[in-house]
Amino acid sequence: FPVRFVVRDTERSRARLRVLTERGFAALCSAEPSFRLGIDAADVAELFTTDAKEGLRGCSCVLVATKRTENQAVHRTLLDLGVTCPVVFLQNGLRVSEGLEPRPY
């Protein structure tokens, strides 16, 4: 299934995306030196976007990886964009879903 990463539309995020577009992205593992998984620079534009409306179009599931203090803002964005597919907030801790009403997803 296709995966898209929606990142904040800030100068800092845009700068990071420019670097990824030039160099690509590599994930390494300290426990397994031979492990390497990556995203080629040419594929970055297809996988990363700052346009939430475009990035969420047609999603079957949304995984939210932000600080808990940002959950309400992300929730409002999801509501504004009409997201109805399952949404999983990836924080652990108490009261993660506090303030996330209504929940059409």
Side-chain angles (χ1 to χ4, degrees), residues 21-74:
T21 301
E22 294 169 6
R23 301 181 187 169
F25 177 83
L28 308 173
C29 177
S30 61
E32 180 59 49
S34 65
F35 177 86
R36 182 179 178 89
L37 190 62
I39 299 170
D40 290 334
D43 296 328
V44 167
E46 181 65 29
L47 294 171
F48 292 85
T49 183
T50 57
D51 182 349
K53 185 175 183 177
E54 175 63 25
L56 295 170
R57 186 169 28 98
C59 283
S60 57
C61 179
V62 174
L63 304 176
V64 178
T66 60
K67 294 180 180 177
R68 188 178 67 79
T69 56
E70 297 297 319
N71 285 355
Q72 289 183 357
V74 171

